[in-house]
Amino acid sequence: SMGSERTEMRKRQMSTTQDTPGAAQAQLSTGNRGSNACCFCWCCCCSCSCLTVRNQDEERARTTSHELQAEGIPNCEESPAPTLEEVNAWAQSFDKLMLTPAGRNAFREFLRTEFSEENMLFWMACEELKQESNKSVIEEKARLIYEDYISILSPKEVSLDSRVREVINRNMLEPSQHTFDDAQLQIYTLMHRDSYPRFMNSAIYKDLLRSLSEKPIEA
């Protein structure tokens, strides 16, 4: 009886000894997989690479935004999504298009495709200048507008006739909120007569109109 018990104990010890290396090896293998998840796990690898790319894109976007602000280029105006009624109203007159931020944003997107976005940017800068009352701020903003949109050295120079340029040069001796009124009107008229008809026939406008027309009416 005692002999059989010793034999049984030896078998158990041998069994335990044989199992231990296998368990240790399995644990080591599992540990290796865990430490190199990106090498063996498609999901983890995809996630890691996506996070890296996303972080790079966000950093690039922040840099671009900072550069635009430094150059004095305003970002698109914040506005709610336009309704079908509003988009239809844009076709009635250029004035109705320019009255709403959503209309100006859509028209500005179109101007960008024609490389004439500076016309809208100049018009918006003039509108912003009219809201100022502080003399030093007015002078600084007028100087920036002149450098950005009037100077022949600027890549964003708008197209103005010589008469309007002479008026601006006189007004710049003592800048005010209305220094660029004549120029702003001339650019507004140019956009109205030249760009607005093409915008109404553009894919940008038609696609927006179609998407709103096909949207189901909420009860």
Side-chain angles (χ1 to χ4, degrees), residues 67-218:
E67 290 172 352
L68 289 175
Q69 291 173 6
E71 293 177 5
I73 302 177
N75 294 320
C76 285
E77 300 172 83
E78 292 185 5
S79 68
T83 63
L84 177 60
E85 183 181 0
E86 288 174 331
V87 175
N88 278 322
W90 299 348
Q92 297 172 14
S93 73
F94 183 60
D95 291 339
K96 290 185 177 181
L97 169 70
M98 293 290 283
L99 275 175
T100 64
R104 291 192 293 270
N105 284 338
F107 186 53
R108 179 177 167 182
E109 182 184 350
F110 168 74
L111 292 177
R112 192 177 295 122
T113 66
E114 293 201 333
F115 305 100
S116 58
E117 185 185 12
E118 67 274 1
N119 290 331
M120 177 64 82
L121 294 175
F122 171 68
W123 185 89
M124 291 171 64
C126 292
E127 287 295 295
E128 186 178 328
L129 179 64
K130 291 178 182 178
Q131 307 303 316
E132 293 295 341
S133 57
N134 184 287
K135 189 174 186 297
S136 61
V137 174
I138 289 172
E139 291 176 350
E140 177 63 15
K141 287 194 174 184
R143 181 184 65 80
L144 291 173
I145 291 174
Y146 189 93
E147 291 178 356
D148 283 344
Y149 305 109
I150 309 302
S151 172
I152 60 174
L153 300 176
S154 173
K156 296 179 290 183
E157 178 195 7
V158 295
S159 180
L160 298 169
D161 61 35
S162 58
R163 180 192 66 82
V164 171
R165 287 185 174 276
E166 289 176 4
V167 171
I168 292 174
N169 289 333
R170 287 198 303 269
N171 290 342
M172 285 299 292
L173 297 174
E174 192 173 346
S176 72
Q177 300 102 314
H178 304 288
T179 293
F180 304 100
D181 281 4
D182 287 353
Q184 186 186 20
L185 177 60
Q186 190 166 94
I187 293 302
Y188 188 91
T189 303
L190 175 66
M191 291 191 294
H192 182 189
R193 294 177 178 175
D194 186 56
S195 303
Y196 173 64
R198 290 197 298 275
F199 169 70
M200 297 312 303
N201 289 313
S202 70
I204 291 177
Y205 178 74
K206 290 180 178 179
D207 289 347
L208 179 59
L209 189 63
R210 185 183 304 111
S211 66
L212 291 172
S213 300
E214 294 173 353
K215 185 181 295 185
I217 300 175
E218 296 181 0

Side-chain angles (χ1 to χ4, degrees), residues 33-101:
R33 284 201 299 270
S35 62
N36 296 294
C38 280
C39 297
F40 296 92
C41 175
W42 178 84
C43 295
C44 292
C45 191
C46 178
S47 176
C48 291
S49 60
C50 287
L51 283 173
T52 303
V53 172
R54 187 168 62 199
N55 290 338
Q56 290 174 347
D57 289 344
E58 289 174 355
E59 181 62 29
R60 193 178 300 115
R62 282 195 295 269
T63 303
T64 303
S65 177
H66 177 72
E67 290 172 352
L68 289 175
Q69 291 173 6
E71 293 177 5
I73 302 177
N75 294 320
C76 285
E77 300 172 83
E78 292 185 5
S79 68
T83 63
L84 177 60
E85 183 181 0
E86 288 174 331
V87 175
N88 278 322
W90 299 348
Q92 297 172 14
S93 73
F94 183 60
D95 291 339
K96 290 185 177 181
L97 169 70
M98 293 290 283
L99 275 175
T100 64

